[in-house]
Amino acid sequence: MTAWAALLAVGLASFAMRLSFLVLAGQMTIRPAILRSLTSAAPAALAAVTAGAVLSGDPAEAPSRLLAAGAAILVATRTRSVGLIVVSGLLVQALADGVIG
Amino acid sequence: MSAPKVEVPTERHRRHETSSERWRATAWAGTRAALPVLAALSPLALLVGVSTGAAGQSWAWALVSSALVFSGSAQLALADLLAAGAGLGALIVTGLVLNARLVAYSASFAPHWRGTSRRWRTVAALWLVDPTFALGVDRAERGRDGPAGLPAFFAGVGATLWFGWAALVVVGMAAGRGLPLGRVGFAGPLVLIALLVPRIREGRRSASIVVTAAAVTPFVAGLPMSTGVLVAVLAGVAAGHVVRDAT
């Protein structure tokens, strides 16, 4: 019961948040300063989610994860290929685990 | 002399076909862009399924969660909190805090959808989450497509990740614990990096926002109910007000 109530509340609120500016705010005029902050919040959120994902997990594996993340950033400045970026990161992580661990 | 007369209707017919063919080609380009992302995120989706099963939830719950919450971090947090016996308030607050970033994605994405139908914007909203937002904005800003192009591209991206994600969550649930997700689990964070780096390269302002939010994250990671994300986002927004693009 709690599980369904929580799911429906979070799920419907999530859909409302997704709709907020794409559909619901279509007719409203939003002050430029607020809009500017919100458009800054998008890359900030993407960065916070990414950093959180890189840093979460077993702290003992953190050094190899950070090395892999660094390698992925470096490769991403050279190519847009998602596959290449992910595979090179995973390879560096495996190599670092071999050396450190 | 008779050749052009025959060609005119053929030409018109062909032009009509090309527009729907172009729609399909652009949607297929979206699917192709989304497939490596789906592959990299599959360990996370499987983990969401495993955790949902471990929390004692049904298939229906997992599917509704994948369709409506549609976010790895929020779905995982809900499953883990349920397994830990958390109350309704904690579940809702954590889920809302983790998905609050969707408002920012919606605001940032909306200008690119001006002039498209309400129906398309509703579908786009349903599929809006970190990787689809990053792929969609990237495509829109590179201006590859005409006005009808973004809905087609985003249909390919969104449908691939939405249906693919739900299917993988169900597979994870069926397989349960024992899936070897250890090392490949890091593919998820790596794909986010792949989608984030183009934003850093947009300019000084964008780079300062990204770097500030990422740098603040480890210091606020321990805050209750996952509110650290909000603090990191606020720090990034503040940086965006201070730093200006070189002109």
Side-chain angles (χ1 to χ4, degrees), chain B residues 81-103:
Chain B
L81 284 173
L82 279 169
L88 187 59
L91 285 161
I92 293 178
V93 170
T94 304
L96 291 186
V97 166
L98 280 171
N99 267 1
R101 68 188 191 287
L102 299 172
V103 176

Side-chain angles (χ1 to χ4, degrees), chain B residues 23-122:
Chain B
W23 199 97
R24 244 175 292 156
T26 312
W28 177 233
T31 297
R32 278 202 315 269
L35 280 175
V37 174
L38 180 64
L41 289 174
S42 58
L44 179 61
L46 293 168
L47 181 63
V48 168
V50 172
S51 303
T52 305
Q57 296 311 313
S58 62
W59 302 91
W61 196 92
L63 282 174
V64 172
S65 172
S66 299
L68 275 182
V69 180
F70 190 38
S71 151
S73 55
Q75 286 182 256
L76 210 52
L78 285 184
D80 289 348
L81 284 173
L82 279 169
L88 187 59
L91 285 161
I92 293 178
V93 170
T94 304
L96 291 186
V97 166
L98 280 171
N99 267 1
R101 68 188 191 287
L102 299 172
V103 176
Y105 294 159
S106 187
S108 199
F109 209 15
H112 297 295
W113 288 81
R114 240 171 242 148
T116 57
S117 75
R118 192 186 170 86
R119 190 193 305 162
W120 267 120
R121 281 178 284 130
T122 306

Side-chain angles (χ1 to χ4, degrees), chain A residues 14 18 21 37 40 80 97, chain B residues 99 106 125 128 138 183 205:
Chain A
S14 296
R18 290 177 159 109
F21 283 85
S37 294
S40 302
R80 303 186 76 97
D97 277 337
Chain B
N99 267 1
S106 187
L128 189 62
D138 197 49
R183 282 291 174 270
R205 181 165 170 268

Side-chain angles (χ1 to χ4, degrees), chain B residues 191-218:
Chain B
V191 83
L192 288 171
I193 288 175
L195 298 172
L196 184 64
V197 168
R199 301 271 78 75
I200 301 177
R201 303 179 77 195
E202 260 171 20
R204 269 177 37 191
R205 181 165 170 268
S206 193
S208 71
I209 293 168
V210 167
V211 171
T212 305
V216 166
T217 298

Side-chain angles (χ1 to χ4, degrees), chain A residues 60-83:
Chain A
E61 290 168 3
S64 66
R65 281 204 305 263
L66 285 174
L67 278 173
I73 291 171
L74 207 64
V75 175
T77 61
R78 310 268 158 206
T79 175
R80 303 186 76 97
S81 159
V82 169

Side-chain angles (χ1 to χ4, degrees), chain B residues 111-167:
Chain B
H112 297 295
W113 288 81
R114 240 171 242 148
T116 57
S117 75
R118 192 186 170 86
R119 190 193 305 162
W120 267 120
R121 281 178 284 130
T122 306
V123 174
L126 184 63
W127 290 339
L128 189 62
V129 70
D130 315 78
T132 58
F133 166 74
L135 288 171
V137 161
D138 197 49
R139 179 79 175 194
E141 282 180 358
R142 280 194 286 164
R144 282 264 196 86
D145 318 299
L150 187 58
F153 183 78
F154 202 72
V157 168
T160 306
L161 282 169
W162 198 61
F163 287 110
W165 177 266

